Amino acid sequence: MQTLILELTPARMILTRMLSRLNASVIFSPASPLRLLNIPDPPLPAAPWVRVRNRMCGICGSDLHQLSLDVSLDVAPAALPAHRRIYLGHEMVGEVVELGPEVQNVRLGDRVVRWGRADDCRARGRQTLCPACERGHRVLCEIASEPREYEPIGGGFGDSFITPASTLLKVPEALTDEQAIFAEPLAVAIHTAFRRPPRPGDKVLVLGVGTIGYLLIQVLRILQPACDITALTQFDWQAALAFKLGADHIFMVNDDGDAHVARLTQARVYRGRRGNTMLIGGFDVVFDVVGIPATLNKALRWTRSHGTVVLVGVNLHRMRVDLTPVWYQEVDLIGSIGHDTVLWQDEPISTFDLAMRWMAEERVLTDDLLTHRFPLAAYRNAFEIALDKNRHHVIKTAFTLN
Ligand SMILES: [Zn+2]
Ligand SMILES: [Zn+2]
């Protein structure tokens, strides 16, 4: 087995974090916790396990955060027990090449994506599920941080991995590998939209267009054809695609955002001292796909009273944020992580299955989103390019693995 790992010994972590402030390429140096590991194929440890040979795997923003060790040790998730060895790559599509004797949900040769974690209730074979697993929200499994019996080995950034079969979902024939690697981010975008589904006539802002932003625009349009979608983009090359995928209006990070919000929503702008501004009125819903203090502060001010901000951008640092709009305008601030099960046309369905269905029906388009591909051996180059979006016009970077 060949697979990329992050080996999180404290010394490597500290060294990399210190040096990466000076120069981002340090994360690829010998001192970095990132290594390409070559080991003999591990045997399947238990009857419900399988081996999957990878075909392709997308690089997610969260992989890049982990790679850069871009996390403060005083944020809530950092208090959970961590694995010393992290196998990167979850946006994978692969093929089942070995089956344990008790596997029922997949067969040899099936193309699969990974939708659960190897430590949730289903993967542990528990008869009674925790409340999160019960509602299909597997990333929030309440026992996931408890010690586990067997270790999953390998990830999407490698030639293969072993995992409990219950973490896999079969990919429909109609989907190409290039579409299948978007099943996970699209499942996330669908879950995010369902956190506060748009109502007819709603004015919605998607703040930030990377992969999730572009997918979210398309999902919002499916859920509510009669809503008005604005996208906030960082670079001009991102704007045309946002329009193509369903945005009605665009403005850019460097524009006067308050003026655009006032124009688009008839909000009133009040200017205080030292550049402080306040809007009365604004969007009904803002999806903060970036999740840094600058965007969250704006998101809260650009939302009308009784509107909602959905925070989906990943940021593993304490933030200095003005929360006054939460009480002063009764703005609801809610979060979104992972994927779950939703009610769509009276049918309970996993957002993963819904993602694959909508791609197969070409209701959600991903062709323009996959901008760069690399073989695994070129991983340094792949990460460097993925981290330098504007220069290379990157949306989604992926490894081609077979
Ligand atoms: Zn992802
Ligand atoms: Zn659970």
Side-chain angles (χ1 to χ4, degrees):
M1 175 187 284
Q2 191 178 50
T3 189
L4 268 182
I5 57 160
L6 277 180
E7 197 89 72
L8 297 179
T9 62
R12 273 171 184 261
M13 274 180 74
I14 292 165
L15 196 63
T16 305
R17 200 157 33 193
M18 271 167 41
L19 295 174
S20 66
R21 289 199 190 123
L22 305 174
N23 180 349
S25 66
V26 168
I27 57 177
F28 308 121
S29 78
S32 145
L34 179 69
R35 287 201 295 130
L36 188 61
L37 190 72
N38 270 294
I39 50 169
D41 281 351
L44 300 182
W49 283 54
V50 295
R51 186 183 317 278
V52 176
R53 192 152 298 285
N54 289 317
R55 294 164 66 93
M56 268 187 104
C57 187
I59 298 176
C60 177
S62 68
D63 296 317
L64 299 173
H65 279 290
Q66 294 197 55
L67 201 69
S68 320
L69 306 178
D70 185 17
V71 47
S72 296
L73 296 178
D74 61 355
V75 295
L80 295 172
H83 303 293
R84 279 179 71 121
R85 176 173 284 183
I86 294 177
Y87 299 96
L88 294 169
H90 55 272
E91 298 178 357
M92 52 69 60
V93 57
E95 188 181 326
V96 177
V97 292
E98 188 183 342
L99 285 179
E102 280 173 23
V103 173
Q104 289 180 351
N105 61 324
V106 291
R107 289 196 242 167
L108 278 183
D110 276 355
R111 251 181 347 142
V112 290
V113 289
R114 195 161 61 173
W115 74 305
R117 44 194 293 171
D119 44 20
D120 67 14
C121 290
R122 284 189 184 83
R124 291 170 195 254
R126 282 169 58 119
Q127 293 306 314
T128 34
L129 303 180
C130 78
C133 288
E134 185 68 52
R135 64 174 194 265
H137 205 161
R138 302 181 68 170
V139 283
L140 291 188
C141 174
E142 291 180 9
I143 60 156
S145 295
E146 295 300 306
R148 53 194 179 193
E149 206 175 351
Y150 308 109
E151 290 298 308
I153 300 176
F157 299 168
D159 56 15
S160 61
F161 62 93
I162 57 170
T163 185
S166 64
T167 63
L168 302 173
L169 210 55
K170 194 169 159 19
V171 177
E173 289 288 322
L175 287 191
T176 61
D177 288 348
E178 285 77 1
Q179 289 174 300
I181 59 166
F182 286 95
E184 194 267 351
L186 180 53
V188 169
I190 296 171
H191 168 66
T192 299
F194 269 91
R195 290 289 280 146
R196 170 50 172 90
R199 300 188 263 257
D202 267 359
K203 291 182 191 289
V204 181
L205 174 66
V206 175
L207 210 165
V209 288
T211 302
I212 296 288
Y214 285 123
L215 294 172
L216 187 56
I217 290 169
Q218 300 182 73
V219 172
L220 293 167
R221 187 56 77 208
I222 294 172
L223 296 190
Q224 185 47 262
C227 69
D228 189 73
I229 302 173
T230 300
L232 189 148
T233 64
Q234 196 176 3
F235 312 114
D236 352 314
W237 57 270
Q238 296 174 321
L241 187 55
F243 278 127
K244 180 178 170 185
L245 297 179
D248 300 295
H249 318 276
I250 302 260
F251 64 95
M252 292 187 53
V253 168
N254 292 329
D255 295 346
D256 178 350
D258 296 329
H260 281 286
V261 177
R263 175 177 63 85
L264 292 164
T265 69
Q266 285 78 54
R268 290 185 173 80
V269 184
Y270 297 92
R271 296 188 190 278
R273 293 168 59 171
R274 292 193 202 155
N276 188 16
T277 56
M278 169 71 188
L279 280 76
I280 300 291
F283 290 99
D284 298 286
V285 194
V286 176
F287 292 93
D288 183 355
V289 188
V290 184
I292 59 175
T295 57
L296 190 53
N297 274 310
K298 287 298 184 191
L300 289 165
R301 281 160 196 242
W302 289 346
T303 304
R304 66 162 170 78
S305 65
H306 283 213
T308 304
V309 174
V310 182
L311 175 61
V312 57
V314 173
N315 180 354
L316 290 160
H317 301 284
R318 291 196 178 199
M319 289 196 265
R320 204 177 135 90
V321 177
D322 173 19
L323 287 175
T324 53
V326 172
W327 61 269
Y328 188 66
Q329 293 293 299
E330 297 195 349
V331 168
D332 289 332
L333 172 59
I334 61 177
S336 170
I337 185 169
H339 40 85
D340 67 343
T341 297
V342 295
L343 204 59
W344 174 245
Q345 294 172 339
D346 299 325
E347 173 200 4
I349 182 170
S350 150
T351 60
F352 240 98
D353 281 315
L354 198 51
M356 295 200 281
R357 183 192 292 180
W358 284 349
M359 286 191 286
E361 292 171 352
E362 294 181 2
R363 299 183 77 181
V364 173
L365 305 176
T366 55
D367 286 3
D368 293 321
L369 304 184
L370 180 56
T371 51
H372 296 75
R373 305 169 195 225
F374 296 88
L376 188 63
Y379 69 90
R380 286 192 172 84
N381 197 222
F383 293 137
E384 265 160 353
I385 284 175
L387 284 163
D388 198 357
K389 272 191 192 169
N390 189 32
R391 186 147 146 228
H392 303 281
H393 293 196
V394 178
I395 302 172
K396 175 62 75 188
T397 308
F399 289 113
T400 306
L401 300 160
N402 68 346

